[in-house]
Amino acid sequence: MAAGCSKTFASKYDEELHYDLEYEEYCKNFEFSNSSTCWICNGYYGPSYGEPLCGTCHAFIFPNHPEGAAEDLVTQMSDDEDSGNDEPPENGSEAKDRSDEDPDDDERERPRPSAPRNLGQYLDMLSQPRESDESQQKICDMPVEVLLAIFGHLDDLSLWNASEVCKQWKRILEVHIPQLMWKKYTKERWPLFQQISTIPNWLHMYGALMNSCFCRTCLLQMALKTPMRGRMNHIRANRLRSDIRSLDRDATEGIDAVALDNQLFHWQASILGPAGSPYEGGKFFLYIVIPPSYPMLPPQVRFLTKIVHPNVSRHGDVGIDIIQHNWSLALTISKLLLSVQSLLTDPYTQICMEPELGRMYENDRLRFEALARSWTWKYAMYEVLPPLDGLT
């Protein structure tokens, strides 16, 4: 009798172990369907080079500036009636960097990232095919002194891309660029990132955060902070002033947002995964673009951090009703972020940004939750689990 129970238990344990290994293997190898080409044009407008959208589709659907920016409407906060307490925060990155700068660090500032190409430039590129260049194979043979001179003209985003080219370049950048500078770059690009644990290598942390994003073109757009010129939009200014106050006054646990430019067009936000969900423990960064006609039109909201969710596209776009169809003037940025956080607990699968994830959620909940939890651990927990050296 005891032997039979033991055999039954062992058999059940083997089945559960096989089941867990099957889930682990599935999560490791999961890819969206049609993930090798642009998911909008299916490669018609050119290769996407590992990005969810090709350059042409991204420039057409997500232009460099918010919709309506051509009207030259600009928000400028005025302090003619206030004591200054209601002024918007300084450039989100600069305000948070000053306290962390080392006065002994005299390295000059890096150039700012260049703007993403516009639609016309991408169309010109399509009409002029690239020519093969055999000299690229010899680029790693260049002397270190020459490489350092070239690297000196690159911004931090380009430097990190250079570190991804080969191990030699990565070692050169690790040796010749201080960790303090990579720490500064990380906090500039991710002002809401909090250092909770010891970070052994800030270059690896910078790279891990970059690789955790859906779209690098959005990262480049988020890095642009050049103010736009034009006449003042007082309605937008007053509303954003109120939104900033509400973010401080009605601060909800796990929700934060900061403006990245003085004109308050570009914002970065963060939400914590709700307890009891497969996203629990993760911190997800979002990119918010405030249009010039806000609050008459809703903001654009995209996940920067990769996440598996039926209502989030592989580009990071959020399919939520209050943004797409039922925007209300009563909604604020904090309420919008709260709705996005609630969506993580209760996905809406009747209309999905990613239908295959919606079907998985409805038909195989355990597999969906295992996959979502796996991506959370992989991409959204760098504050508490820094990347190991060389593993980003």
Side-chain angles (χ1 to χ4, degrees):
M1 181 73 174
C5 292
S6 175
K7 184 177 182 180
T8 302
F9 177 79
S11 177
K12 184 177 180 181
Y13 175 79
D14 289 340
E15 289 179 0
E16 291 180 351
L17 179 61
H18 175 74
Y19 196 61
D20 291 340
L21 291 176
E22 181 184 356
Y23 271 156
E24 183 178 350
E25 188 67 21
Y26 176 81
C27 296
K28 185 185 301 183
N29 299 321
F30 173 81
E31 287 186 358
F32 289 106
S33 61
N34 190 30
S35 59
S36 59
T37 58
C38 172
W39 73 295
I40 298 294
C41 71
N42 197 28
Y44 181 81
Y45 290 113
S48 57
Y49 302 104
E51 295 293 291
L53 278 74
C54 66
T56 305
C57 287
H58 201 291
F60 182 78
I61 300 174
F62 306 103
N64 297 350
H65 299 296
E67 183 179 357
E71 302 174 7
D72 288 330
L73 295 176
V74 170
T75 298
Q76 294 182 353
M77 298 297 187
S78 61
D79 57 353
D80 50 355
E81 59 198 27
D82 297 312
S83 61
N85 294 332
D86 294 336
E87 285 296 307
E90 293 183 76
N91 179 302
S93 59
E94 296 175 359
K96 290 180 178 288
D97 284 343
R98 290 193 180 119
S99 60
D100 298 308
E101 289 184 2
D102 189 339
D104 296 330
D105 180 25
D106 56 356
E107 182 169 337
R108 66 180 181 82
E109 287 292 329
R110 294 278 174 183
R112 304 302 300 173
S114 57
R117 295 182 177 92
N118 57 36
L119 182 58
Q121 291 173 315
Y122 278 113
L123 293 176
D124 289 339
M125 291 173 64
L126 290 176
S127 63
Q128 299 175 359
R130 297 183 179 181
E131 298 181 359
S132 60
D133 187 0
E134 297 181 356
S135 64
Q136 292 180 358
Q137 300 176 0
K138 302 180 180 179
I139 196 169
C140 291
D141 297 333
M142 298 176 66
V144 175
E145 294 79 8
V146 176
L147 289 174
L148 288 175
I150 296 173
F151 292 160
H153 296 280
L154 301 181
D155 60 83
D156 57 295
L157 291 174
S158 301
L159 279 176
W160 170 69
N161 280 306
S163 73
E164 299 287 291
V165 171
C166 61
K167 293 181 179 179
Q168 179 196 8
W169 286 16
K170 192 166 191 174
R171 286 195 298 268
I172 291 174
L173 292 173
E174 285 180 335
V175 171
H176 292 278
I177 296 185
Q179 286 288 305
L180 184 64
M181 290 303 297
W182 285 113
K183 178 180 180 180
K184 177 182 177 182
Y185 297 152
T186 302
K187 293 194 173 184
E188 180 180 357
R189 301 301 172 208
W190 308 90
L192 296 178
F193 177 83
Q194 297 180 354
Q195 182 181 355
I196 297 177
S197 57
T198 302
I199 298 177
N201 191 310
W202 279 97
L203 170 58
H204 294 165
M205 174 59 73
Y206 184 100
L209 289 171
M210 292 297 178
N211 283 320
S212 72
C213 289
F214 281 110
C215 178
R216 295 189 184 182
T217 307
C218 288
L219 288 175
L220 187 56
Q221 289 184 355
M222 187 178 67
L224 301 177
K225 304 186 180 77
T226 303
M228 300 170 61
R229 294 183 174 87
R231 54 194 176 88
M232 194 184 311
N233 185 344
H234 292 284
I235 296 177
R236 182 178 184 273
N238 293 333
R239 176 55 185 269
L240 285 173
R241 181 185 291 116
S242 176
D243 283 2
I244 292 171
R245 283 200 300 263
S246 66
L247 281 168
D248 295 332
R249 182 182 63 248
D250 306 326
T252 305
E253 183 177 359
I255 291 178
D256 199 3
V258 63
L260 299 176
D261 62 333
N262 292 331
Q263 305 300 334
L264 307 185
F265 278 107
H266 305 276
W267 291 57
Q268 187 178 113
S270 66
I271 59 175
L272 296 182
S277 72
Y279 312 103
E280 182 178 2
K283 183 174 183 177
F284 299 89
F285 296 97
L286 297 92
Y287 175 37
I288 303 177
V289 180
I290 308 293
S293 53
Y294 179 81
M296 306 307 295
L297 290 179
Q300 298 175 10
V301 182
R302 306 172 209 165
F303 270 85
L304 290 172
T305 307
K306 292 179 180 177
I307 184 173
V308 170
H309 195 283
N311 304 117
V312 180
S313 76
R314 69 195 71 184
H315 178 255
D317 309 294
V318 181
I320 188 172
D321 191 51
I322 61 173
I323 299 177
Q324 306 294 335
H325 306 292
N326 293 325
W327 173 253
S328 169
L329 295 178
L331 294 172
T332 61
I333 294 176
S334 60
K335 292 179 180 178
L336 178 61
L337 292 174
L338 184 60
S339 298
V340 174
Q341 188 183 47
S342 301
L343 194 67
L344 300 186
T345 304
D346 187 20
Y348 182 73
T349 56
Q350 300 301 314
I351 302 177
C352 298
M353 300 289 281
E354 295 291 343
E356 60 181 305
L357 293 180
R359 290 191 292 269
M360 187 191 305
Y361 180 84
E362 292 290 342
N363 302 325
D364 195 346
R365 186 70 59 83
L366 290 178
R367 175 165 289 188
F368 172 85
E369 291 184 350
L371 179 61
R373 191 174 298 109
S374 173
W375 277 43
T376 300
W377 277 80
K378 186 176 181 179
Y379 299 115
M381 300 188 69
Y382 287 126
E383 286 189 346
V384 294
L385 297 174
L388 299 177
D389 284 359
L391 298 178
T392 56

